[in-house]
Amino acid sequence: MMDTSKAAPEARRPLVRASGVTKSYGGVQALVHADLELLPGEIHALLGENGAGKSTLVKIVAGREQADGGELEIAGGHADVSVVYQELTIVPALSVLDNVFLGHPDVKQLMRRRSLRPRARQYLDALGLEHVDLDRPAGDLPLAERQLVEIVRATARECRTVILDEPTATLSDVEIERVFAAARRLRDNGCAVVWISHRLKEVFELADKVTVMRNGRHVSTDPASALTTDELVARMIGSRALQERERVARVHASGGGEARVRLEQLGLPGRFAPLDLELRAGEIVGITGQIGSGADWVTKTVAGLGRDRTGRVVVDGRAVAKAGVREALAHGISYVSGDRAKDGVFLDVTVERNISSMVLGEVAPSGVLQRGKERSLGERLGRLMAIDRRRLGSRAGDLSGGNQQKVSLAKSIAPGPKLLVLNEPTRGVDVGARAEIYDHLRQLAQDGAAVLLFSTDLVEIVEACDRVVTMFRGRVVRTAEVEGLDEQAILRDILHPQEEEVAA
Amino acid sequence: MSPLQTGRPALAEGDAVAAADTRVSEQQGFAAWLRERDMQTLAIRGAALVILLYACVAVDGFGTVDNVKSLLQSVALIGIAAVGTAFVTISGNYFMLSVGATTAVSTIVFAKSLSLGLPLALVVTLGAGAVGGLVQGAAVGLLNTNPIVTTIAASSLVLGVGQIVSGGLTVNADSTSADVLNNTVFDVLPVRVLIFFAVALAAHALMQKTRFGREVRLTGSNREAAELAGLRVRRVIVLAFVLAAVAAALSGALLAAEASQGNLRLGATFDFDVIAAVLVGGVLVTGGRGSIIDAAFGAVFIGMVGNILIVSGQPYELQLVAKGAIVILSIALAALASRRRR
Amino acid sequence: MNIAKLARDNRASLLRIALLVALLVYFSANRAGFLDTGNLFSLMQAFALLGLVAFGLSVTMIAGEFDLSVGAMVAVAGIIAIKAGGSGAAAGLAVAVAFGLGVGILNGLLTVGLGVSSLVVTVGTQIMLTGLAYGLAGGQTVSYDNFQVAADVDQAILTVFSPRSLVAIGGGLLVWLLLRYTRMGRDIVATGSSRDAASAAGARTKLAVVVSFAISGTFAALAGGLLAFSLLSAAPTTGGDLLLQAVSAAILGGIALAGGIGGMPGVAVGALTLTALNNGLSYIGASDAAISISNGLLLLAVVTISAGGPARLAELARARIRRPATS
């Protein structure tokens, strides 16, 4: 247990001091000028949109990545920093006890579990997990409890700096309270707690200080009490920058054409509650929500994933009989995956062959591939998506992220879909390619298709979409037209505490 | 409204826009071409050439017409089976460990059915092989069982069935009807080798030029992406196994014709040779890469190495050790090459 | 202790034991003498080989890998043991075991060092080991002259056991202790369960893989050497079906192919079940072919069930029924 000195804050030495930190991956600059100062005995919120650089900064402080430039001082070294990442690192086959002490320096070659048990019990109980059996495989626990065990693991390390990245994403209110209590306890014991979250309500409730980052830069650090929600939001997206920024998507549709696709009481148990939505030709609809909102599963379910769905998807009057990607494709629903490396693009295959992969029936009408057709398809779609002709024969994995995404899009557009569904359409894509992609989506819509996309990038939602559907914890909060609306208002709506009151 | 039919005006001049996009990773020119060729296949072909030249010059008895004929004969059988197995490997399912068993049992089936005449005997043998492949393909493709363990199990099953069919005895083949398979065309090219070439070319065409072949490759490259793209993944996997089994059965028939008998002990190390041929040829075990010709070439290479060892008087046992070492070396090469690519 | 809950939690283990018992009952009912001490001794002798190899293989499976070379290792180790046993069986055995350890480490290093699937690496080693076996043996069976050694290695202890079977049991016990009570054991399980998570959380995943292959190689070599001394001969063709039986024993014993799941007690039951099955079948006069087929079918069944086969079959059937036309 740390002994807090009761001296004035200025006299306390910082546990972590980062200034001017830079980091780039390949050609992309993730951190341009990052500053962060963590004092003992504080809860320090770190805010910023996706791509602001928070995760990169965290990895550098934790020692998982090396900074390219700038200064970094950590009082106890990297070993004194523990992180709970967004992606769970619970090992399902190991017991809860073993998971808590995984990577703990106190664990010797011979596991003396007997001495570790009471400590684990103590930590678990402090987070309200009295009912959890230490010897159960962690994989048996529900997701929320696994998240809590991860937090327990971090506290068990007894580091002076604890970083929590979206720790409450999957938790219910009761559990959130427990995590708050744990964070406060850590703070009172003299630790520095970094709290990364999109939920401004939590930030105001919990944090002592707030640091905002934007585009890889440090924007501001202030005591939480000195800020209002509007100011925070403005700093996160750069209010002046928005007006000055060249509008990427130049056209917005209003009203749209006929309703091509209807979602009738479509639901996925455990992910999102039944909802109704109409998708019209010529219109781009965006769905957004934080982790745990179920928004990403709406798009996946429409695309045919999500096997135990309830309700119906109706395309041009015909209901899609059962779940399954091939079923959806047969009805004209084409899906662009959110993770192109995992299942969106065939990295080892040429661009041309990627593009033709979803229309092999047309490119090989009697079973034999017709190279001429494949080539012309590749060229036509390549031109559409502004992919250099010379790249058609290149291996897709050799292209930049933006170009890979364009290939992924071209591939899914090839079948001439009635509805194009996309998850995170410009994740990891630079600004220039983004603009192109939005243009292509707009063109597709104007040609008569309906477009549905999921994104956690609020700017993207505002710029590319005609209508926005926000979701929170599995339910639709509101559906609004983007055109003519004050962007600040929409964003405040999505981030503001009131949103959570509405759903409650 | 498929882009194939409508003529849509281009949004922007593709070349102009993309030319401005200069990413370090998108090099042009010779360096890129070189990188795209599989380092491993290049190395193998280079090494093969070197070894070939060396052997012609330095090893007595290697460069004769008779030896080349004999080399090609032994390569043919392995080559046919390797070409079939390559479909399984390219589809991302590692290899078929039941190849040896299938070939061995096929010798029995062929020998026994020769009384029906050559064409029918071939149909029966290949058909039996297809059934075995179907079962394995169904397990792996439809029920998602582990391909390695499934084919290990199938190997035992097939051998057991073979033991029952043969009654544990050697089955003598009615040699006259199968003789045509042992002939030589124009006194230079053995029929067997001709069949090998034909099969390899046909399989290559199937893989490169048909929808099925493309789906095999895409499935092996990334199964999840293939499913998301609506490809007929399950069908493709089942067919890949059927093809591999049929090829193995064909090898068995040819083997039986050569030995004039069906015998379960024929081709004891066949499995190894086939797997070695596929791996060494450059068909990557991760799937999606490599071609049928690669597997055929691998068979030739492995056969050549073995032949050189025999002709230069080395004991038979050394062959296996050498083959194993070559397999490991080529795996290492492939791994390092793909590491460089990332 | 709630009996019902205990039963539910350990349902799989109970089923396993029930299967074993059922087999024993069936065979002893079919032919008298199956459960005689003489036959039980034979059973344990077979277990001495299969069990030890299965224990080793299981460790690699728990780590999320697979050692295809165990069968070949048994063969070549036997030959090495006999050939190096000139100055005493113990020396020969030691050399064989050292060889197994070395090859195992090599397998592990190649797997983690190259970042390649262990399937491919061990196929290569399997080929090399088989070649080595043929080479060392000169293509024939090698024999060992010292009859006393065979008697020693096979002497009856407590009626049904022998030094060989005790070694196998000891091996299983050691691995069990390793997995349960040491940090390395925990790292092995973690690596197999979720390699990325384990690595991110600080487990030594690469070392764990190497250790698991070292164990597999050592156990296979030990089993091969002891077998050779028991039979007083070794041939390159030994251990043909061993790989298949070891995998069957492992999966039957609850080891998941995906990794991270399963333990030695289960594997022991699995190995016993398999030896009982094969011993019983030949006891009632089944042919080699029948035994081959039943082994193959058993593995297919076991692998299908553990891959969730029945559920998928049901799902496929339901899909067909709802939509008779194929897409």
Side-chain angles (χ1 to χ4, degrees):
Chain A
M1 299 293 178
M2 296 302 306
D3 199 12
T4 36
S5 96
K6 298 295 180 192
E10 299 82 47
R12 280 181 290 158
R13 301 268 266 355
L15 287 172
V16 172
R17 205 174 61 80
S19 68
V21 173
T22 60
K23 175 77 185 170
S24 45
Y25 295 104
V28 183
Q29 191 91 8
L31 290 179
V32 177
H33 186 105
D35 297 327
L36 186 66
E37 191 179 74
L38 301 174
L39 298 173
E42 75 175 6
I43 297 183
H44 196 126
L46 184 56
L47 297 183
E49 293 187 277
N50 283 358
K54 308 187 300 283
S55 310
T56 313
L57 183 59
V58 163
K59 286 189 189 146
I60 289 177
V61 171
R64 264 176 85 173
E65 296 272 358
Q66 281 267 46
D68 290 341
E71 290 169 26
L72 179 64
E73 286 169 27
I74 304 177
H78 290 300
D80 206 15
V81 176
S82 67
V83 184
V84 180
Y85 293 99
Q86 272 188 46
E87 314 86 30
L88 282 193
T89 55
I90 289 288
V91 177
L94 289 183
S95 65
V96 171
L97 176 63
D98 282 345
N99 265 288
V100 167
F101 281 102
L102 196 59
H104 199 289
D106 278 359
V107 173
K108 306 289 172 231
Q109 291 310 322
L110 259 121
M111 310 253 332
R112 291 281 169 71
R113 293 199 176 86
R114 208 158 299 174
S115 63
L116 298 173
R117 279 177 173 278
R119 288 168 64 181
R121 187 78 269 162
Q122 185 189 345
Y123 295 129
L124 284 168
D125 291 350
L127 249 96
L129 294 171
E130 300 92 347
H131 60 284
V132 172
D133 187 358
L134 283 175
D135 297 311
R136 267 183 93 187
D140 286 352
L141 298 178
L143 185 60
E145 287 182 7
R146 269 184 267 166
Q147 174 107 44
L148 288 172
V149 171
E150 280 239 37
I151 296 175
V152 169
R153 186 198 285 165
T155 56
R157 290 267 307 273
E158 300 195 348
C159 299
R160 283 183 292 173
T161 304
V162 180
I163 305 179
L164 303 168
D165 194 349
E166 298 280 0
T168 56
T170 60
L171 304 181
S172 68
D173 287 332
V174 173
E175 289 150 351
I176 291 177
E177 269 311 310
R178 292 196 210 133
V179 178
F180 280 16
R184 290 185 183 116
R185 226 173 301 124
L186 283 169
R187 186 238 345 248
D188 296 338
N189 284 333
C191 296
V193 179
V194 178
W195 188 274
I196 301 176
S197 171
H198 275 116
R199 301 185 183 182
L200 299 190
K201 172 183 170 198
E202 292 176 0
V203 170
F204 283 118
E205 219 179 296
L206 198 56
D208 302 313
K209 287 215 212 106
V210 181
T211 292
V212 179
M213 288 181 70
R214 190 174 74 236
N215 291 335
R217 270 176 215 281
H218 170 262
V219 173
S220 66
T221 300
D222 302 284
S225 49
L227 290 167
T228 66
T229 316
D230 283 349
E231 281 174 341
L232 258 183
V233 170
R235 287 176 203 207
M236 279 170 69
I237 54 158
S239 54
R240 245 183 304 132
L242 252 193
Q243 271 116 41
E244 284 169 357
R245 186 199 311 226
E246 197 190 306
R247 293 293 299 281
V248 176
R250 284 167 269 276
V251 182
H252 276 301
S254 53
E258 0 96 57
R260 291 207 84 171
V261 178
R262 253 187 264 273
L263 309 181
E264 296 174 356
Q265 284 295 292
L266 185 70
L268 189 63
R271 300 279 181 189
F272 63 91
L275 53 83
D276 294 308
L277 187 59
E278 218 176 62
L279 304 168
R280 308 177 199 129
E283 188 186 39
I284 301 179
V285 175
I287 287 195
T288 184
Q290 306 150 12
I291 306 171
S293 63
D296 56 333
W297 272 98
V298 173
T299 40
K300 285 190 206 168
T301 306
V302 172
L305 303 162
R307 304 216 139 247
D308 4 288
R309 72 176 192 202
T310 59
R312 303 202 309 168
V313 176
V314 182
V315 180
D316 279 350
R318 284 172 62 221
V320 180
K322 54 176 180 157
V325 174
R326 302 198 56 204
E327 195 61 31
L329 265 172
H331 283 264
I333 301 177
S334 193
Y335 177 58
V336 179
S337 157
D339 190 342
R340 54 180 171 268
K342 178 169 167 280
D343 53 16
V345 173
F346 297 99
L347 292 173
D348 280 331
V349 170
T350 64
V351 170
E352 189 175 77
R353 292 184 182 187
N354 262 283
I355 293 178
S356 63
S357 60
M358 282 175 78
V359 288
L360 285 177
E362 292 183 40
V363 165
S366 47
V368 178
L369 293 168
Q370 295 183 16
R371 285 302 164 76
K373 278 197 180 170
E374 198 176 20
R375 189 95 288 234
S376 74
L377 174 70
E379 288 184 353
R380 201 182 309 258
L381 278 165
R383 247 179 302 149
L384 230 88
M385 301 297 305
I387 300 172
D388 191 342
R389 275 185 76 215
R390 289 168 291 169
R391 301 260 180 277
L392 282 178
S394 300
R395 192 176 149 268
D398 290 340
L399 302 183
S400 65
N403 279 330
Q404 277 183 17
Q405 192 65 9
K406 285 198 250 174
V407 171
S408 181
L409 235 87
K411 164 173 154 272
S412 299
I413 291 177
K418 298 176 183 164
L419 169 66
L420 184 68
V421 182
L422 310 105
N423 263 20
E424 300 280 16
T426 58
R427 175 190 273 164
V429 171
D430 61 284
V431 174
R434 280 190 178 213
E436 289 174 0
I437 290 178
Y438 295 157
D439 277 342
H440 301 320
L441 290 178
R442 177 57 56 198
Q443 185 67 45
L444 191 68
Q446 281 178 350
D447 285 339
V451 179
L452 174 68
L453 67 84
F454 161 74
S455 178
T456 54
D457 185 344
L458 303 170
V459 177
E460 176 163 77
I461 294 281
V462 168
E463 291 191 351
C465 303
D466 306 319
R467 262 196 301 156
V468 181
V469 178
T470 52
M471 293 189 66
F472 183 79
R473 293 217 197 138
R475 288 179 196 283
V476 174
V477 176
R478 76 184 73 233
T479 309
E481 302 278 334
V482 167
E483 182 67 53
L485 254 160
D486 179 7
E487 286 137 15
Q488 287 263 62
I490 296 181
L491 296 168
R492 192 195 318 137
D493 213 36
I494 295 171
L495 297 176
H496 190 71
Q498 260 163 27
E499 161 209 69
E500 297 169 45
E501 285 157 27
V502 163
Chain B
M1 200 174 59
S2 162
L4 277 176
Q5 284 118 35
T6 53
R8 239 181 276 155
L11 268 177
E13 264 319 293
D15 288 356
V17 172
D21 178 359
T22 43
R23 291 274 177 275
V24 178
S25 57
E26 293 166 349
Q27 300 157 359
Q28 291 297 299
F30 184 64
W33 179 86
L34 199 62
R35 256 190 334 110
E36 266 165 48
R37 299 268 94 60
D38 241 316
M39 167 128 72
Q40 187 193 355
T41 11
L42 270 181
I44 294 286
R45 296 193 192 188
L49 202 58
V50 169
I51 294 179
L52 182 66
L53 290 173
Y54 169 77
C56 281
V57 173
V59 178
D60 261 341
F62 179 76
T64 65
V65 175
D66 272 340
N67 188 47
V68 171
K69 255 211 299 198
S70 137
L71 164 63
L72 284 177
Q73 295 254 44
S74 66
V75 163
L77 297 185
I78 296 174
I80 292 173
V83 156
T85 306
F87 279 97
V88 170
T89 311
I90 295 179
S91 76
N93 286 298
Y94 301 105
F95 1 84
M96 221 173 87
L97 288 177
S98 53
V99 165
T102 307
T103 303
V105 170
S106 300
T107 63
I108 307 263
V109 174
F110 183 71
K112 278 212 158 192
S113 43
L114 259 186
S115 50
L116 301 169
L118 181 61
L120 217 53
L122 277 173
V123 167
V124 169
T125 311
L126 297 186
V131 168
L134 192 64
V135 170
Q136 293 169 77
V140 176
L142 300 180
L143 300 179
N144 277 350
T145 56
N146 179 292
I148 293 290
V149 179
T150 306
T151 52
I152 290 178
S155 169
S156 190
L157 260 172
V158 166
L159 273 175
V161 167
Q163 270 166 339
I164 292 182
V165 167
S166 72
L169 308 165
T170 309
V171 179
N172 279 316
D174 174 9
S175 47
T176 44
S177 25
D179 258 351
V180 65
L181 294 174
N182 294 329
N183 283 348
T184 310
V185 175
F186 307 130
D187 238 0
V188 179
L189 205 59
V191 168
R192 185 169 311 140
V193 176
L194 203 60
I195 295 180
F196 168 43
F197 286 163
V199 167
L201 286 172
H204 185 74
L206 188 66
M207 181 62 88
Q208 298 295 105
K209 300 207 189 308
T210 66
R211 176 178 176 178
F212 166 71
R214 178 64 61 81
E215 285 183 303
V216 168
R217 204 176 275 290
L218 290 175
T219 301
S221 173
N222 186 332
R223 183 165 172 168
E224 283 106 359
E227 304 229 14
L228 269 188
L231 301 181
R232 309 169 297 183
V233 170
R234 298 194 306 217
R235 182 185 307 197
V236 147
I237 292 179
V238 172
L239 278 176
F241 273 93
V242 168
L243 281 173
V246 166
L250 180 57
S251 287
L254 291 173
L255 187 56
E258 173 185 35
S260 296
Q261 60 176 236
N263 183 336
L264 281 179
R265 265 183 303 286
L266 292 174
T269 57
F270 204 67
D271 268 326
F272 292 159
D273 284 327
V274 169
I275 292 175
V278 169
L279 285 176
V280 166
V283 179
L284 287 188
V285 111
T286 40
R289 313 213 58 201
S291 70
I292 302 297
I293 296 297
D294 286 341
F297 201 84
V300 171
F301 182 68
I302 291 277
M304 193 175 68
V305 168
N307 182 282
I308 291 177
L309 287 174
I310 290 184
V311 166
S312 50
Q314 300 296 336
Y316 161 77
E317 294 80 35
L318 194 59
Q319 282 196 48
L320 270 178
V321 178
K323 285 174 187 174
I326 293 177
V327 166
I328 297 201
L329 263 170
S330 52
I331 296 167
L333 259 178
L336 292 173
S338 69
R339 184 96 53 93
R340 180 99 41 100
R341 185 183 287 281
R342 273 185 224 301
Chain C
M1 269 288 151
N2 189 342
I3 298 288
K5 181 174 188 302
L6 204 64
R8 235 181 312 129
D9 283 345
N10 296 307
R11 186 176 30 182
S13 313
L14 286 176
L15 274 172
R16 240 170 261 141
I17 297 178
L19 176 62
L20 174 61
V21 169
L23 272 177
L24 293 173
V25 164
Y26 172 75
F27 285 124
S28 65
N30 236 283
R31 266 290 192 102
F34 181 71
L35 288 177
D36 278 354
T37 47
N39 200 42
L40 284 178
F41 182 77
S42 306
L43 266 176
M44 288 312 297
Q45 288 293 81
F47 176 80
L49 175 63
L50 179 58
L52 191 54
V53 173
F55 288 140
L57 177 63
S58 302
V59 181
T60 61
M61 288 170 75
I62 291 177
E65 305 285 349
F66 199 87
D67 190 349
L68 279 169
S69 64
V70 287
M73 174 60 81
V74 165
V76 77
I79 295 174
I80 291 179
I82 287 187
K83 291 233 151 184
S87 44
L93 195 60
V95 172
V97 169
F99 178 73
L101 177 64
V103 171
I105 293 178
L106 180 68
N107 274 332
L109 285 175
L110 282 172
T111 303
V112 299
L114 293 175
V116 190
S117 160
S118 57
L119 285 166
V120 180
V121 170
T122 52
V123 142
T125 15
Q126 180 189 24
I127 297 178
M128 284 186 69
L129 287 177
T130 309
L132 201 60
Y134 273 101
L136 282 175
Q140 318 154 340
T141 312
V142 285
S143 47
Y144 197 65
D145 296 348
N146 192 340
F147 296 112
Q148 187 54 43
V149 166
D152 287 339
V153 132
D154 284 336
Q155 64 182 275
I157 302 179
L158 293 175
T159 325
V160 290
F161 299 105
S162 71
R164 282 181 61 210
S165 49
L166 288 178
V167 164
I169 296 175
L173 207 60
L174 266 172
V175 172
W176 180 73
L177 287 171
L178 174 82
L179 290 176
R180 211 168 220 256
Y181 292 112
T182 68
R183 193 173 136 199
M184 175 49 65
R186 184 205 62 187
D187 284 350
I188 291 178
V189 175
T191 303
S193 173
S194 169
R195 186 182 285 210
D196 290 330
S199 167
R204 302 161 298 179
T205 49
K206 296 197 171 181
L207 188 58
V209 169
V210 176
V211 167
S212 61
F213 275 101
I215 294 176
S216 176
T218 308
F219 277 23
L222 184 57
L226 285 173
L227 178 68
F229 285 133
S230 162
L231 297 175
L232 291 175
S233 71
T237 49
T238 321
D241 261 347
L242 208 49
L243 178 62
L244 179 144
Q245 291 177 359
V247 166
S248 305
I251 301 182
L252 200 56
I255 306 283
L257 277 165
I261 303 189
M264 294 305 115
V267 175
V269 172
L272 277 172
T273 306
L274 219 60
T275 49
L277 176 67
N278 288 336
N279 181 301
L281 282 174
S282 67
Y283 199 78
I284 62 173
S287 61
D288 278 344
I291 295 182
S292 250
I293 293 183
S294 50
N295 276 341
L297 279 174
L298 177 65
L299 182 54
L300 262 180
V302 157
V303 116
T304 307
I305 293 176
S306 74
R312 297 223 63 199
L313 266 172
E315 190 189 312
L316 281 168
R318 253 184 284 132
R320 284 271 169 268
I321 294 172
R322 238 192 271 147
R323 253 283 194 114
T326 36
S327 45

